[in-house]
Amino acid sequence: MAESIHDVQHRISSTKATRQITAAMHMVSTAKLNKIQKHTAGYQEYVSKIKSVVMRLSQSQLFDNSSNKLQADRPVKKTAYLVITSDRGMVGSYNSSVLREANEFIDKQTPNPDDYMILAVGGTGADFYKNRGINVAYEYRGVSDVPEFNEVREIVKTVTTMFDNEIFDELYVCYNHFVNRITSSFRGEKTLPVDRETLAGEAVSETPTSNLANDYETEPSAQEVLDSILPQYAESLVYGAILDAKTAEHASSSNAMQSATDNADDLISDLQLHYNRARQAAITTEITEITGGQEALKN
């Protein structure tokens, strides 16, 4: 019985140590979540404005007469899917949810594996597709907890160059959208080419298209305006998706660590009850043995 009590004590100590780790990780994840939410709030204003400008331009003849490479309208021979996951574990069901939903989305959009490629942001997604023999044409690991815009420039430059070189003909971005601290939802958004079909899914509510004019005066020229604004638009979509995905990742990590901490508390409580019962049983046995010894001496 003494050995059993010792084992229970060891399990209680181990669980308490684990609880300290999960509680600390919960605090860290919550701090990261708060930080990225503040960072994202300021960026949303920029995104809203640039989307509004592009939406207005899409209603004009400038858009139709443009020769910008990001608007290239060609037959779709190869589709690329930019799948955003995390680089690490201990984020609850975040990665499994993204990959499951992304696979369903890809199967629906492009059933033949030979007709698509994966562009992976995050080590979990890259490893997942590589292990299954799926073509991972590009991968980016080590995205910061609160990614800065300059980090995304490398990703966007690579993606747009691949599109310009006709390595793929259209691009979808797949990620988990942050709804609130408890909930996230999958999104699969078409990003390239930048055409009216793509922009229809990115419509800005505060931009009433019915009131838009069809003609604009441009300086220095219509083509130069679009050559400047469309890359910024593509950057904003990819950067916004990565920020959104990172926010959902931190929320999932915070929830997972909170659940682990709560489970540890429950387990410690159960083990403590088991320990007290075992200790009481050991004491009762000792008293019985002493009493029995005393009675034996009397006889």
Side-chain angles (χ1 to χ4, degrees):
M1 182 63 69
E3 184 179 359
S4 176
I5 292 176
H6 176 75
D7 291 342
V8 175
Q9 282 181 312
H10 179 70
R11 290 183 64 192
I12 290 173
S13 298
S14 298
T15 306
K16 284 182 176 180
T18 301
R19 186 200 177 283
Q20 288 181 328
I21 295 172
T22 57
M25 293 180 70
H26 171 252
M27 292 177 62
V28 171
S29 296
T30 302
K32 290 178 180 178
L33 176 59
N34 293 334
K35 186 176 181 180
I36 198 171
Q37 282 186 294
K38 291 179 182 178
H39 181 75
T40 303
Y43 179 72
Q44 289 303 323
E45 182 66 21
Y46 165 78
V47 172
S48 176
K49 294 300 181 183
I50 197 168
K51 284 184 178 180
S52 177
V53 170
V54 175
M55 283 293 296
R56 288 178 181 274
L57 289 174
S58 72
Q59 303 299 313
S60 72
Q61 293 180 355
L62 304 181
F63 199 81
D64 294 327
N65 299 330
S66 171
S67 60
N68 189 280
K69 292 182 178 180
L70 296 181
Q71 295 176 269
D73 183 16
R74 55 181 183 254
V76 178
K77 299 177 182 178
K78 183 77 74 172
T79 302
Y81 294 93
L82 181 66
V83 181
I84 305 172
T85 60
S86 73
D87 287 298
R88 59 188 179 88
M90 290 187 284
V91 289
S93 61
Y94 173 78
N95 287 315
S96 60
S97 174
V98 174
L99 293 171
R100 182 182 66 255
E101 296 280 359
N103 289 339
E104 291 177 0
F105 180 77
I106 293 170
D107 289 341
K108 183 178 179 180
Q109 296 289 127
T110 318
N112 188 350
D114 295 332
D115 293 337
Y116 70 84
M117 64 180 65
I118 298 296
L119 313 178
V121 175
T124 302
D127 293 338
F128 175 85
Y129 288 109
K130 282 182 177 179
N131 292 338
R132 284 156 179 78
I134 297 174
N135 180 19
V136 179
Y138 171 76
E139 62 179 279
Y140 186 95
R141 299 171 186 255
V143 176
S144 301
D145 290 325
V146 183
E148 296 295 332
F149 188 74
N150 285 335
E151 284 186 70
V152 179
R153 285 189 182 275
E154 177 184 339
I155 300 172
V156 174
K157 183 179 179 180
T158 302
V159 169
T160 54
T161 300
M162 293 173 72
F163 179 75
D164 292 343
N165 294 334
E166 300 188 18
I167 295 175
F168 60 82
D169 304 299
E170 64 179 358
L171 172 70
Y172 289 87
V173 180
C174 303
Y175 64 99
N176 256 13
H177 163 62
F178 174 78
V179 178
N180 54 50
R181 292 182 177 236
I182 304 299
T183 308
S184 62
S185 62
F186 175 80
R187 282 188 176 178
E189 300 173 338
K190 187 178 179 181
T191 305
L192 294 175
V194 181
D195 52 25
R196 285 197 173 93
E197 180 187 350
T198 304
L199 292 170
E202 292 292 334
V204 182
S205 59
E206 63 268 25
T207 307
T209 56
S210 59
N211 297 328
L212 297 179
N214 289 324
D215 296 314
Y216 295 85
E217 293 182 4
T218 58
E219 180 70 29
S221 70
Q223 189 61 53
E224 287 178 278
V225 169
L226 284 171
D227 287 345
S228 175
I229 199 70
L230 289 183
Q232 294 181 49
Y233 173 73
E235 289 174 351
S236 72
L237 293 184
V238 176
Y239 181 51
I242 292 175
L243 274 180
D244 200 353
K246 269 293 177 182
T247 306
E249 177 189 333
H250 293 322
S252 182
S253 177
S254 176
N255 292 333
M257 292 304 101
Q258 181 61 62
S259 295
T261 302
D262 293 341
N263 290 338
D265 285 335
D266 293 340
L267 181 56
I268 290 169
S269 179
D270 292 341
L271 289 172
Q272 192 67 52
L273 180 62
H274 182 61
Y275 170 77
N276 291 337
R277 287 175 176 173
R279 189 161 171 257
Q280 289 173 357
I283 293 172
T284 301
T285 300
E286 290 177 4
I287 292 173
T288 301
E289 291 174 351
I290 292 171
T291 303
Q294 289 176 338
E295 292 297 327
L297 291 175
K298 290 180 181 180
N299 296 329

